[in-house]
Amino acid sequence: MTEDPFVYVYVRVADQVEQEIRAGRLPHGARLPNERDMGAQYGVAPGTARRAVQELRDRGLVVTLPNKGSFVVAPGQH
């Protein structure tokens, strides 16, 4: 991850996940790791991972289903 001091950490994590989605490494329907695993993967706290997932939802890239997890959605499908 880039270390731009003027960008929130959760935004940097969301940007990284968005790059993985756009590159096809996280295809439509792929389940994102849970907050604890995502935090470990990106070296951030679970709360930061939670905020990154919220950012991805705001961008229309993922949808969260209660008790199931967060999933990548097809462009324009949310």
Side-chain angles (χ1 to χ4, degrees):
M1 283 189 311
T2 50
E3 296 298 323
D4 184 345
F6 300 109
V7 177
Y8 288 112
V9 174
Y10 76 88
V11 173
R12 290 197 304 249
V13 172
D15 288 346
Q16 181 68 29
V17 175
E18 180 174 358
Q19 288 176 3
E20 292 178 25
I21 291 169
R22 298 206 184 278
R25 289 186 295 273
L26 283 172
H28 165 68
R31 186 175 187 273
L32 297 182
N34 65 39
E35 293 166 0
R36 182 175 295 133
D37 292 343
M38 183 181 274
Q41 181 177 347
Y42 292 99
V44 298
T48 302
R50 180 181 316 117
R51 186 64 185 94
V53 172
Q54 175 63 51
E55 178 70 18
L56 292 165
R57 279 196 304 265
D58 292 347
R59 295 179 188 185
L61 296 171
V62 302
V63 63
T64 300
L65 303 174
N67 300 315
K68 299 213 183 279
S70 296
F71 300 86
V72 176
V73 294
Q77 187 184 57
H78 58 309

